[in-house]
Amino acid sequence: MTFDPVTSASLPTLAPDGKRQIAIVGCGATFSRRLRGSVSAEFPERDVIFFDRIDAYVDGHRAEPSGFEMVMFDAGSFCAFAAKLAGGEVTLPSGRVAVALEDTSACDTVFDAHSSLIFSEGISLLPMNSGINAWLCLLSLVHTGSQYLPASIALRLLSLGGAALATCDPDALARIERLTPREREILAAIGGGMSNRLIATEFGISEHTVKIHIHRVISKLEVPNRTSAAVFFLGHRALFD
């Protein structure tokens, strides 16, 4: 396993042992050798591939048909990727997507610039000023299928999204009535910020079953993703009482 930057002439392939891959895309100032080593240690069953340029990642993404299990950008590479995506030059990764940012203020800036993409595709924003261990915990959470946004953004979504839902969504009650009692419990857990693992433990079911429930909740509520479902619940909490 190498942590050296790759170029278009040195593209990643699946390891001979069939390990899945995690891509890290950005500059060495953000993703130091030490940090990349910590990510590799956190995911010992995965090959961690580092791209120091967005073009190298794009070439690597095209060369790897199965895609990367998770892709983590820094601020600059994510903005460049978003521009290429808008121009039709690239497609969204098939795995989870996260953006590593200096602090919550940087998260706010990136969210303001790309809120539609982040919100609709469940992209996570991970501030790096909380310490490496906390940051790795957030990354592990994303890897399990959850979306993470800093509290400041979540509160903004609640304030704006909840108000919008309350005034512009007269059929909210009809959508809620589509949910089974268990699906309502799962939705409340999502609204409370619980991870899939915690939800599974709380209700004595498997994480796979939790994912099925969440998929059904999202479909019945006609929202694009898990975060939208949480905002829906918080904005219509009174209808669940």
Side-chain angles (χ1 to χ4, degrees), residues 140-207:
S140 294
L141 182 68
V142 172
H143 185 257
T144 64
S146 299
Q147 181 187 23
Y148 177 85
L149 295 173
S152 60
I153 294 176
L155 289 172
R156 287 167 58 193
L157 288 176
L158 173 59
S159 174
L160 297 175
L165 285 168
T167 58
C168 303
D169 193 8
D171 67 338
L173 182 58
R175 284 191 277 170
I176 291 171
E177 290 177 344
R178 300 171 189 169
L179 304 177
T180 67
R182 175 47 58 89
E183 289 166 352
R184 294 188 187 199
E185 292 175 337
I186 297 294
L187 177 59
I190 294 173
M194 295 176 66
S195 68
N196 288 359
R197 184 173 302 176
L198 288 176
I199 295 173
T201 301
E202 175 72 17
F203 296 107
I205 57 180
S206 69
E207 289 188 57

Side-chain angles (χ1 to χ4, degrees), residues 50-232:
F50 176 53
F51 300 90
D52 66 340
R53 295 179 296 105
I54 187 63
D55 289 337
Y57 161 75
V58 171
D59 289 339
H61 180 59
R62 290 170 179 162
E64 180 47 68
S66 63
F68 296 100
E69 193 172 63
M70 182 167 63
V71 180
M72 178 168 51
F73 297 97
D74 66 4
S77 63
F78 177 71
C79 291
F81 176 79
K84 287 181 176 293
L85 184 65
E89 300 177 54
V90 297
T91 58
L92 281 166
S94 58
R96 305 299 300 176
V97 178
V99 187
L101 296 152
E102 182 179 0
D103 51 30
T104 53
S105 177
C107 290
D108 289 341
T109 299
V110 170
F111 183 83
D112 287 341
H114 304 285
S115 58
S116 178
L117 175 62
I118 291 167
F119 194 62
S120 64
E121 300 302 331
I123 295 171
S124 295
L125 304 180
L126 309 182
M128 304 179 74
N129 61 334
S130 56
I132 184 63
N133 290 333
W135 187 80
L136 287 172
C137 286
L138 293 179
L139 190 61
S140 294
L141 182 68
V142 172
H143 185 257
T144 64
S146 299
Q147 181 187 23
Y148 177 85
L149 295 173
S152 60
I153 294 176
L155 289 172
R156 287 167 58 193
L157 288 176
L158 173 59
S159 174
L160 297 175
L165 285 168
T167 58
C168 303
D169 193 8
D171 67 338
L173 182 58
R175 284 191 277 170
I176 291 171
E177 290 177 344
R178 300 171 189 169
L179 304 177
T180 67
R182 175 47 58 89
E183 289 166 352
R184 294 188 187 199
E185 292 175 337
I186 297 294
L187 177 59
I190 294 173
M194 295 176 66
S195 68
N196 288 359
R197 184 173 302 176
L198 288 176
I199 295 173
T201 301
E202 175 72 17
F203 296 107
I205 57 180
S206 69
E207 289 188 57
H208 177 69
T209 301
V210 171
K211 291 179 181 179
I212 292 175
H213 281 309
I214 293 174
H215 175 76
R216 290 173 178 168
V217 166
I218 289 172
S219 176
K220 290 180 179 181
L221 292 182
E222 300 178 17
V223 295
N225 53 39
R226 180 194 185 104
T227 301
S228 303
V231 169
F232 181 98

